[in-house]
Amino acid sequence: MRQPSLTSTASFHALETHAIEAEDWQMRSLFAADPQRFERLSCEGAELFLDYSKNRLDGRTLELLAALARERGVEQRRDAMFAGERINNTENRAVLHTALRAPRGAKLSVDGQDVNADVHAVLGRVKAFTDAVRSGEWLGHTGKPITDIVNIGIGGSDLGPKMVVLALRHYAHPRLRMHFVSNVDGHDMDAALNQVDPETTLFIVASKTFTTAETMMNAQTARSWFLANAPEAALARHFVAVSTNTEAIKAFGIDPANMFPFWDWVGGRYSVWSAIGLSVALAVGFGYFSDFLAGAHAMDEHFRTAPIEENMPIILALVGFWNRQFLGAPSVTIAPYHQDLSRFPAYLQQLDMESNGKRVTRDGEPVDTPTCPAIWGEPGTNGQHAYFQLLHQGTDLNPIDFIAALRPAHEMEHHHTALLANCFAQSEAFMKGKTLDEVRIDLQQQGLPLAEIERLAPHKTFPGNRPSNTILMERLTPATLGALIALYEHKTFVQGVIWDVNSFDQWGVELGKVLAKKIEAELAADPQPELHDSSTNGLIARAKAAV
Ligand code: F6P
């Protein structure tokens, strides 16, 4: 059934009226008026804790947002996703990344196919293969154990594995060095090949479609580089593939016995749980990879069963929606106060923006509200010394998600204390700000003359009242990382349902791909064709002149 437009719903109208009342709310006053605010506006699930009290909202706002979630059918759509219905309506596909982390024996079939049995059969192969490589039983063609793994993939076939391998570096195998090549820019491949020895290197060609231009070019380059020093028969010990496309793998020259399959109901940006996570399982071992899946499953269960008012992904989504829609926030900053999560913002960029960066509804009608904000960020405390200036005193309101582990994976306690102090201080500073009067008092106490106080005070004033969430975990482990990623996956899903966009297609990436193919041919062609606008023609001409 066709969804009514978002702005025509009763719950949206109620929120609009409420937003006018809330326009002048100051978080300082909200905290002062309610000593229980932190307890009231925080929740827990799957070993994660979410504090969303430092947002410009109150209990009534949440009631209205929960009503919106109900009116938009969040619970029904969630259940449809878990049940394997074809909710990706422009590609006519089910969306079942949750099935990839369901324990053995979970009942789910799609088109009569036992999905759980298929998933666990592939996991069994991942275990056997990764155990063999890690133990040294799997040998290169000259009889040496593997020392280097090069994952060749892009987008979801790169960002997830790379982010997770980095985040779980404390769990990694000491012999195996992990490399990730994604960019068609030859510098990326060059940097990796310069560090590895063909006799001891395993290449994983990771591509759902096995047609992605960058990955195919990188894979061919790696193959030629390898074959420069080895016979064709050696490929089978050094090249494996992860894909849904068996025919293309065979055509590339990889033995189907060395292929780890997955399925079209796994979106690229939701695929780290599938065999696309092969590099993760190689790095940390199948046991920890299973813990990673189990952590995500725990979040799935929380999302599936917790009431809206206590449901962490739904709350995160609704608060984000409130900030985007009624506070006009154009972007969200992801600030992991954990260096090992340094690639997490980049991972979320694809997850969120490729999912919800849409301008038409599932029925193809123009949306009538803004959709996905831009997502960006860097680990704290580095961001503090770069762009936090804009977040504190810039003209736009830019909500922040702070993410931290309470216990570190190292023994330098004083570093960790300083890190957490910064994390908590920043969220306090964004909330409280510093008023003109407070600044004046400070400057008076420093003994500055009145004229100097008045000159400096506006520069030193912080408006505050800037929203943030804080997500805490005891430690960054395979399980808590799995839960954290699943939290954001489901947050993205819920926002997609509110906006009524299809969060599982990505047609917006197609046009550039097609034009790049054309221009690639033109760059190689002679003489210079003039087929474009003057800017594009001019750029092509300059590139050709430089050859
Ligand atoms: O072009 C976008 C995209 O399709 C992403 O959605 C995907 O994660 C990436 O390219 C890589 O795709 P593949 O795994 O098929 O190579």
Side-chain angles (χ1 to χ4, degrees):
M1 204 183 66
R2 196 171 260 251
Q3 273 273 31
S5 75
L6 177 54
T7 57
S8 72
T9 58
S11 46
F12 188 88
H13 288 151
L15 275 162
E16 268 182 322
T17 311
H18 177 73
I20 295 167
E21 289 161 19
E23 221 163 50
D24 298 328
W25 285 0
Q26 291 293 320
M27 277 189 262
R28 278 185 184 222
S29 319
L30 296 175
F31 272 99
D34 179 7
Q36 300 299 311
R37 186 172 168 86
F38 172 71
E39 282 74 25
R40 266 192 247 286
L41 303 183
S42 57
C43 61
E44 286 184 76
E47 293 186 53
L48 299 184
F49 174 83
L50 167 66
D51 168 19
Y52 58 100
S53 61
K54 290 192 182 101
N55 280 284
R56 280 195 221 166
L57 43 73
D58 70 357
R60 174 79 185 134
T61 322
L62 286 166
E63 272 172 36
L64 295 173
L65 287 167
L68 178 75
R70 292 203 167 88
E71 190 171 358
R72 297 304 272 175
V74 165
E75 292 152 301
Q76 289 82 353
R77 290 274 291 283
R78 170 195 65 193
D79 296 346
M81 175 172 75
F82 276 93
E85 287 180 30
R86 292 173 188 270
I87 62 168
N88 175 352
N89 68 330
T90 59
E91 296 177 311
N92 192 27
R93 288 176 184 164
V95 174
L96 275 175
H97 45 279
T98 53
L100 298 167
R101 52 230 191 184
R104 190 186 291 279
K107 295 268 166 286
L108 181 65
S109 69
V110 170
D111 299 332
Q113 188 65 25
D114 183 343
V115 166
N116 186 260
D118 289 351
V119 165
H120 282 272
V122 174
L123 284 175
R125 288 191 50 212
V126 168
K127 178 177 184 335
F129 177 71
T130 55
D131 282 354
V133 173
R134 288 168 60 82
S135 68
E137 179 197 324
W138 178 284
L139 300 174
H141 72 109
T142 56
K144 297 181 182 166
I146 299 298
T147 56
D148 292 84
I149 316 276
V150 182
N151 188 85
I152 300 175
I154 197 164
S157 301
D158 167 75
L159 288 163
K162 186 172 175 176
M163 180 273 285
V164 174
V165 164
L166 189 59
L168 299 182
R169 69 188 174 86
H170 277 96
Y171 296 82
H173 193 292
R175 190 187 72 243
L176 296 176
R177 285 183 296 266
M178 311 301 296
H179 312 264
F180 291 86
V181 177
S182 54
N183 202 331
V184 77
D185 180 348
H187 296 103
D188 203 7
M189 181 58 85
D190 181 57
L193 294 183
N194 275 327
Q195 294 174 53
V196 302
D197 174 348
E199 290 182 49
T200 56
T201 299
L202 177 75
F203 292 93
I204 303 173
V205 187
S207 173
K208 176 176 171 178
T209 54
F210 227 75
T211 58
T212 303
E214 292 90 335
T215 302
M216 292 303 103
M217 187 176 279
N218 279 326
Q220 287 293 357
T221 300
R223 189 176 191 272
S224 307
W225 174 85
F226 178 77
L227 289 178
N229 296 296
E232 190 115 5
L235 278 173
R237 306 302 298 169
H238 295 270
F239 277 77
V240 300
V242 182
S243 186
T244 58
N245 189 345
T246 315
E247 289 315 306
I249 277 169
K250 282 197 223 153
F252 181 84
I254 292 182
D255 185 346
N258 285 349
M259 169 183 172
F260 297 85
F262 63 113
W263 306 272
D264 72 355
W265 41 258
V266 182
R269 53 195 174 274
Y270 300 87
S271 65
V272 67
W273 323 100
S274 72
I276 288 289
L278 191 67
S279 50
V280 176
L282 281 163
V284 304
F286 189 78
Y288 286 132
F289 186 65
S290 302
D291 292 349
F292 174 62
L293 300 183
H297 177 68
M299 182 54 74
D300 293 342
E301 286 302 284
H302 170 81
F303 177 49
R304 216 172 51 74
T305 58
I308 288 183
E309 291 73 9
E310 293 159 31
N311 195 306
M312 201 183 296
I314 299 184
I315 288 171
L316 200 57
L318 293 176
V319 170
F321 170 76
W322 169 258
N323 289 339
R324 175 77 174 124
Q325 178 65 39
F326 297 108
L327 275 62
S331 75
V332 172
T333 305
I334 306 296
Y337 276 65
H338 199 307
Q339 188 60 30
D340 293 345
L341 286 174
S342 62
R343 293 294 295 167
F344 193 58
Y347 175 80
L348 288 190
Q349 282 179 332
Q350 187 198 16
L351 174 63
D352 213 341
M353 295 202 272
E354 203 173 68
S355 296
N356 288 339
K358 310 282 165 68
R359 53 189 291 285
V360 296
T361 66
R362 285 162 52 81
D363 293 318
E365 298 294 326
V367 295
D368 55 352
T369 64
T371 59
C372 188
I375 308 289
W376 57 286
E378 280 288 319
T381 58
N382 298 3
Q384 291 173 208
H385 296 274
Y387 55 78
F388 269 44
Q389 164 63 41
L390 176 146
L391 303 185
H392 281 294
Q393 289 188 318
T395 49
D396 280 323
L397 190 85
N398 192 104
I400 302 156
D401 284 358
F402 293 97
I403 301 169
L406 297 175
R407 303 292 316 140
H410 58 73
E411 284 169 7
M412 295 167 282
E413 277 297 332
H414 58 300
H415 280 260
H416 198 65
T417 307
L419 178 77
L420 286 184
N422 273 278
C423 178
F424 302 159
Q426 287 296 330
S427 82
E428 184 178 27
F430 283 116
M431 186 275 283
K432 272 190 161 166
K434 191 166 180 180
T435 65
L436 195 59
D437 283 348
E438 287 169 342
V439 173
R440 283 184 178 129
I441 291 169
D442 254 14
L443 295 177
Q444 273 162 15
Q445 281 168 355
Q446 289 169 31
L448 265 67
L450 194 59
E452 191 61 357
I453 292 175
E454 289 309 310
R455 190 177 75 81
L456 288 179
H459 299 279
K460 292 182 168 252
T461 300
F462 290 67
N465 213 21
R466 303 201 160 198
S468 70
N469 297 305
T470 300
I471 297 167
L472 298 178
M473 62 198 89
E474 183 73 20
R475 288 173 195 276
L476 182 63
T477 64
T480 55
L481 180 63
L484 182 69
I485 300 170
L487 168 66
Y488 276 96
E489 284 180 348
H490 296 322
K491 178 220 116 177
T492 300
F493 169 79
V494 171
Q495 291 190 336
V497 175
I498 304 276
W499 288 315
D500 191 30
V501 297
N502 180 359
S503 302
F504 301 103
D505 61 14
Q506 58 282 321
W507 300 108
V509 301
E510 294 304 323
L511 179 60
K513 287 187 192 174
V514 173
L515 294 183
K517 276 266 160 258
K518 244 163 95 180
I519 294 180
E520 196 178 326
E522 288 160 25
L523 281 171
D526 195 30
Q528 170 67 59
E530 293 244 324
L531 303 172
H532 309 268
D533 56 90
S534 62
S535 161
T536 312
N537 284 334
L539 296 170
I540 292 172
R542 286 187 82 90
K544 288 186 77 124
V547 172

